[in-house]
Amino acid sequence: MTQLTLTAGLTAHAEKHSAFMKQLSKPLRRKPSSLKIKTASHPQSITTFPVRVHKEDNQINQGALNARKNFKEFARNTEFRSHSAGPHGNFFSICWPNGKTERVRLATEIIESLWVYDDVMEDVDHAGAVEVHASVRDTLTGVEKPSKKNVVASLFKDFGSRLSQMDKHGAPRVLASLKAYLDNYDSQKTPFDTIQKYTEYRIMNVGYGIMDSFMQWTMGLQLNEAETDEAHKFYMSAGRVMGLTNDLYSWNVERTEAVDSADRKWNAVPVIMQQYDLSEEDANVFLRGLIVHHEQITRELGAVLLRRFGYSSTMTKYVESVSLMLGGNCFWSATCPRYNP
């Protein structure tokens, strides 16, 4: 075989390979609705996942402003935390950077309302809070009509119909995740004595189910039953990342709050301190390593999931969107005024 023939053969093979790769990448191609955020200048953010922000951040942030306005008229004397605001974009613009703008804006209004609602309920005794939680849950999911006695619940009355108007097929899953979260709100009374048990609890408690269901809804995704079952391990691993990441950065504020020692157990840092007899600084380092460890596991499970479904468009979008959500959650938490006053 001459050198010329060999070269021609290799060239033809390379061209075929290039064409195959272009065909494979077609499902990933879309008009980008987000911009890349350069994280190198923010060393406090430890995520190994990429970070992007929605191009329509101003529109999305309006959802948060609407929520705060509604509650301000109801609770004029309550001081609300900064919640989803951030110097590089709204929390939801960064967590769901490729979602449909109008859907991300509505999801932002709903979850911001839940966060502000949490501020309002801080001074309510446990028995009263449980009653209000149930009323908010039933109003939000359309089971109960809000009464004049419960003005707080009335602030949630239109969300279910607004979700359905945008996507009647995807709305039930989102509403189910909201119901599950409110059903378990403050349900755990006994602090955990190991980080392993605590981490599993935080998956639900941090609201990961809400974040995942809304992420799918904003993207126009809806995993079928088989896909959801196969993605369960990936889903749980991602939930661990989000819960522990929230604890790492929220501890900046929680550690100085005037609460008793039992309340402080509701963060991974003091749980680790007690379990391993570590100083606060060493427990913080331990937690950082644990988060990166769970990020690595999530990456591996995502790769397995993609291979399992032959890199289908749906599963590729899902895995990619979860990765962006985790990266966005970490970066926003590391830079936002809520955790970095």
Side-chain angles (χ1 to χ4, degrees):
M1 182 181 290
T2 65
Q3 182 66 34
L4 181 61
T5 304
L6 179 61
T7 301
L10 290 172
T11 301
H13 176 76
E15 289 175 349
K16 287 181 180 180
H17 177 73
S18 177
F20 171 75
M21 292 304 294
K22 287 180 180 179
Q23 184 68 28
L24 185 64
S25 65
K26 278 185 178 180
L28 298 177
R29 291 183 178 180
R30 60 181 182 277
K31 186 178 180 181
S33 62
S34 59
L35 302 169
K36 182 179 180 180
I37 293 180
K38 295 180 180 179
T39 60
S41 58
H42 301 276
Q44 68 272 37
S45 175
I46 64 170
T47 187
T48 60
F49 287 114
V51 180
R52 302 183 70 87
V53 62
H54 204 289
K55 284 184 177 179
E56 303 299 338
D57 175 61
N58 287 336
Q59 287 192 48
I60 290 163
N61 192 55
Q62 188 59 48
L65 297 177
N66 291 343
R68 299 173 76 81
K69 179 182 177 182
N70 291 338
F71 268 88
K72 200 64 181 176
E73 293 175 359
F74 160 72
R76 298 181 184 277
N77 297 323
T78 301
E79 184 177 348
F80 302 142
R81 297 183 179 91
S82 56
H83 292 306
S84 63
H88 303 280
N90 184 280
F91 173 71
F92 302 102
S93 296
I94 295 178
C95 282
W96 306 321
N98 294 325
K100 298 176 181 179
T101 303
E102 68 280 3
R103 295 191 182 193
V104 179
R105 184 172 60 237
L106 176 56
T108 299
E109 183 177 346
I110 293 173
I111 301 182
E112 183 84 8
S113 294
L114 287 171
W115 284 352
V116 175
Y117 160 74
D118 198 45
D119 290 343
V120 173
M121 296 303 295
E122 278 190 348
D123 297 326
V124 179
D125 64 83
H126 180 71
V130 170
E131 184 179 345
V132 178
H133 294 335
S135 185
V136 167
R137 176 201 64 208
D138 293 341
T139 300
L140 186 57
T141 55
V143 174
E144 173 187 298
K145 290 184 178 180
S147 66
K148 291 182 179 180
K149 293 182 179 179
N150 195 342
V151 182
V152 177
S154 69
L155 298 176
F156 294 87
K157 66 183 176 65
D158 295 329
F159 287 146
S161 60
R162 290 168 65 187
L163 283 165
S164 297
Q165 286 171 6
M166 287 188 183
D167 178 10
K168 65 179 182 180
H169 298 295
R173 182 174 293 190
V174 174
L175 291 171
S177 72
L178 288 165
K179 181 180 183 301
Y181 174 75
L182 290 168
D183 279 341
N184 290 278
Y185 191 91
D186 279 350
S187 60
Q188 179 70 32
K189 300 302 165 207
T190 306
F192 294 93
D193 56 3
T194 71
I195 188 61
Q196 292 78 13
K197 293 178 182 177
Y198 173 81
T199 300
E200 298 309 295
Y201 165 75
R202 279 295 275 158
I203 298 171
M204 168 63 78
N205 179 259
V206 79
Y208 184 74
I210 295 176
M211 292 296 292
D212 182 271
S213 64
F214 264 121
M215 177 274 290
Q216 290 191 49
W217 184 75
T218 64
M219 290 288 294
L221 284 172
Q222 190 166 0
L223 299 188
N224 60 37
E225 186 175 350
E227 291 167 335
T228 300
D229 288 344
E230 287 289 339
H232 181 69
K233 288 183 178 179
F234 174 73
Y235 170 97
M236 295 295 287
S237 183
R240 294 181 189 105
V241 173
M242 181 168 285
L244 293 176
T245 298
N246 177 269
D247 280 11
L248 174 67
Y249 295 104
S250 65
W251 184 245
N252 290 338
V253 175
E254 292 170 15
R255 65 188 297 275
T256 60
E257 290 179 341
V259 295
D260 60 42
S261 59
D263 284 335
R264 288 195 173 189
K265 297 285 176 58
W266 298 110
N267 186 291
V269 174
V271 174
I272 293 168
M273 289 172 66
Q274 178 175 298
Q275 182 180 355
Y276 296 107
D277 193 23
L278 296 175
S279 67
E280 181 181 339
E281 182 179 358
D282 287 345
N284 194 287
V285 172
F286 185 110
L287 179 55
R288 288 170 181 266
L290 193 59
I291 291 168
V292 173
H293 167 70
H294 282 298
E295 283 200 355
Q296 180 182 6
I297 293 174
T298 304
R299 283 178 176 277
E300 292 171 353
L301 291 171
V304 170
L305 201 55
L306 289 175
R307 290 194 296 270
R308 169 71 179 80
F309 285 90
Y311 298 88
S312 70
S313 175
T314 296
M315 197 54 73
T316 299
K317 278 185 178 181
Y318 178 68
V319 172
E320 179 187 72
S321 297
V322 169
S323 300
L324 288 170
M325 183 167 65
L326 296 178
N329 174 61
C330 182
F331 179 77
W332 178 87
S333 298
T335 58
C336 69
R338 180 178 179 180
Y339 298 146
N340 305 277

